[in-house]
Amino acid sequence: MTLPIAPPSLPLSDEDPFSAELLDEPAPFHERLRDAGEVVFLERYGVYAMGRYATVHAALTDWQQFISSAGVGVSNFRKEQPWRPPSLLLEADPPAHNAPRASLAKILSPRSLRAYVPIWEAAAERHVEELLADAVDGVLEIDAVPTITEAFPLRVFPDAVGLERDGREHLLPYGDFVFNAFGPHNFLVEAGSVGVSEHAAWIARQCERDRLDPTGIGASVWAAADRGDITEQQAPLIIRSILTAGVDTTIHALSAVLHAVANAPNQWAALRAEPSLARRAFDEAIRLESPVQTFFRTANGDVRIGGTVVPDGQKILMFLGSANRDPRHWDHPDDFDLGRDPSGHVGFGMGIHQCVGQHVARLEATALLKALAARVRAIEPAGPIRRHLNNTLHATASLPLRLALA
Ligand code: OW4
């Protein structure tokens, strides 16, 4: 394969952002990337990259020049077959993007989700109560990943979508594979390939009308098809997006916020004193940890970025995680600070593709944080966090915590 050659004068990097080392600890590389320039050429992959807030934000909001329909991974739909039919949301541009987006945005709007608020709040309270029942002398040591950050979303989300019980164990590895597959065909994609066709087949079956509980979110996508908002061919692919993008992301975001509060005890105290800060705490953790680290766009025509021209058809890698800690935009960017307004972070993206499920994620997170704040006086690390490596996600394998009961 011949890779594009960088134009002269463009800053170059021979580092591999998809190596185990940089996926495990991306922040030092992000700083080098931001300092190297507005646009940097990654020689290993023959792609352009942006790590500064201003450039990433500008590109995300310019869907005409930075298109998604050629694929948002390193490989190009114009030249290569995608491994699964493209997403009607993530991997589409207007006008094709419009109807699926508008339809799903309505289904996942705060207004439509209101019915789930009391259900998820009660589930969070029960979840925390059951967990804390194992405390000894008012203290509980846990790995928060299996017991909270995976267990709670898996307790509420598949039921809300209306999935059958059997086979739900496919959800996490399927999502993990999709997020790996946006990156290069490296050791992670290779390892994840085992079983992916079974995961994908199960996911595809759950998108069928007759499989879904008639009261759930999945059924409301089919109802949109019945109204004519979307076609019957579009409905299952939109449900596939919910199942792909709605599980791993939320789980790793919940790990991010618990990791953040465990390492900032005064911020946990502030949240306990003012539980309405739960929403801000979640967004500040998304800013700080950026569970979705990167997405590609493709230059539509020769695209000028500051002093650089990215030629038509070239891939541009946007480092959301780097933009979210750019000191050119954020004061003390590496601190978890509930005194700041984190809005404008690009952890959910920005522009027409900004996360359509963000209200679902916020609702899960605020329900859980409020339930914990009511019962847990202090949270501290009980061992080092262990990362789960993924080409796109900043993910957590293990998060040992010590909880002191209120
Ligand atoms: C973050 C996202 C991620 C993975 C898959 C999809 C969307 C999809 N958004 O639409 O399938």
Side-chain angles (χ1 to χ4, degrees):
M1 186 171 62
T2 53
L3 294 174
I5 309 290
S9 86
L10 194 64
L12 306 177
S13 171
D14 65 0
E15 296 195 73
D16 181 359
F18 301 102
S19 65
E21 191 191 340
L22 295 195
L23 291 172
D24 189 58
E25 205 194 327
F29 165 69
H30 289 166
E31 184 175 358
R32 292 192 289 276
L33 183 73
R34 288 189 302 264
D35 290 347
E38 262 184 328
V39 184
V40 177
F41 193 76
L42 301 182
E43 296 174 285
R44 301 220 176 202
Y45 299 107
V47 300
Y48 296 74
M50 315 196 293
R52 295 188 190 172
Y53 179 88
T55 7
V56 169
H57 185 279
L60 286 170
T61 48
D62 182 355
W63 57 265
Q64 292 94 336
Q65 293 199 93
F66 296 88
I67 61 170
S68 294
S69 58
V72 296
V74 67
S75 81
N76 199 331
F77 288 176
R78 287 176 179 175
K79 299 173 192 146
E80 296 170 39
Q81 281 288 4
W83 74 275
R84 59 171 201 162
S87 162
L88 303 180
L89 291 149
L90 183 72
E91 295 154 322
D93 300 318
H97 178 258
N98 298 348
R101 171 72 192 201
S103 173
L104 188 57
K106 196 168 146 201
I107 290 163
L108 301 181
S109 68
R111 184 176 158 68
S112 309
L113 293 173
R114 269 211 297 251
Y116 295 103
V117 173
I119 299 172
W120 291 4
E121 285 182 348
E125 284 163 21
R126 273 201 310 280
H127 197 84
V128 170
E129 191 177 304
E130 287 165 15
L131 183 77
L132 296 182
D134 292 334
V136 178
D137 296 333
V139 175
L140 182 69
E141 275 199 24
I142 49 165
D143 181 345
V145 171
T147 59
I148 302 179
T149 67
E150 283 187 1
F152 179 65
L154 290 175
R155 182 172 182 150
V156 295
F157 184 72
D159 283 348
V161 177
L163 301 184
E164 61 190 24
R165 295 217 161 259
D166 261 17
R168 290 181 178 187
E169 68 278 3
H170 290 292
L171 286 166
L172 262 169
Y174 179 74
D176 194 54
F177 186 82
V178 172
F179 283 101
N180 273 326
F182 295 128
H185 195 111
N186 63 4
F187 66 106
L188 291 168
V189 175
E190 203 53 47
S193 305
V194 186
V196 69
S197 53
E198 284 80 16
H199 303 320
W202 183 84
I203 294 283
R205 276 201 306 281
Q206 306 318 304
C207 299
E208 294 168 15
R209 188 198 284 269
D210 298 341
R211 292 263 171 172
L212 291 157
D213 182 285
T215 62
I217 291 170
S220 50
V221 175
W222 279 105
D226 294 340
R227 285 194 304 272
D229 296 353
I230 52 169
T231 68
E232 298 221 336
Q233 289 70 42
Q234 289 174 321
L237 279 172
I238 293 170
I239 297 167
R240 191 194 68 178
S241 285
I242 298 173
L243 299 182
T244 309
V247 182
D248 304 61
T249 48
T250 317
I251 287 169
H252 297 305
L254 292 179
S255 293
V257 72
L258 292 187
H259 176 56
V261 295
N263 287 283
N266 58 340
Q267 300 301 292
W268 180 247
L271 177 58
R272 291 199 68 221
E274 186 50 69
S276 67
L277 283 172
R279 176 195 165 105
R280 177 173 288 197
F282 184 60
D283 273 85
E284 172 67 348
I286 301 268
R287 182 196 66 78
L288 189 67
E289 295 288 335
S290 300
V292 176
Q293 286 273 297
T294 46
F295 268 122
F296 289 84
R297 292 289 189 262
T298 307
N300 184 29
D302 294 347
V303 174
R304 177 172 291 283
I305 305 167
T308 309
V309 174
V310 178
D312 180 40
Q314 297 305 301
K315 289 286 179 188
I316 306 140
L317 180 49
M318 296 177 305
F319 283 87
L320 311 177
S322 172
N324 280 338
R325 289 187 182 218
D326 183 356
R328 295 160 190 78
H329 184 81
W330 307 97
D331 292 332
H332 54 89
D334 299 331
D335 293 349
F336 178 77
D337 179 5
L338 295 179
R340 89 161 83 231
D341 178 2
S343 61
H345 74 72
V346 293
F348 286 124
M350 195 55 70
I352 65 166
H353 291 284
Q354 192 183 32
C355 180
V356 75
Q358 60 184 282
H359 310 294
V360 181
R362 280 203 194 90
L363 188 51
E364 291 180 51
T366 53
L368 180 67
L369 287 172
K370 285 177 185 174
L372 283 169
R375 302 287 307 275
V376 176
R377 181 176 48 79
I379 305 181
E380 60 182 48
I385 187 171
R386 209 158 37 77
R387 295 297 177 180
H388 168 81
L389 301 188
N390 182 285
N391 280 336
T392 301
L393 302 171
H394 194 220
T396 304
S398 169
L399 180 63
L401 296 180
R402 191 174 299 111
L403 310 182
L405 273 61

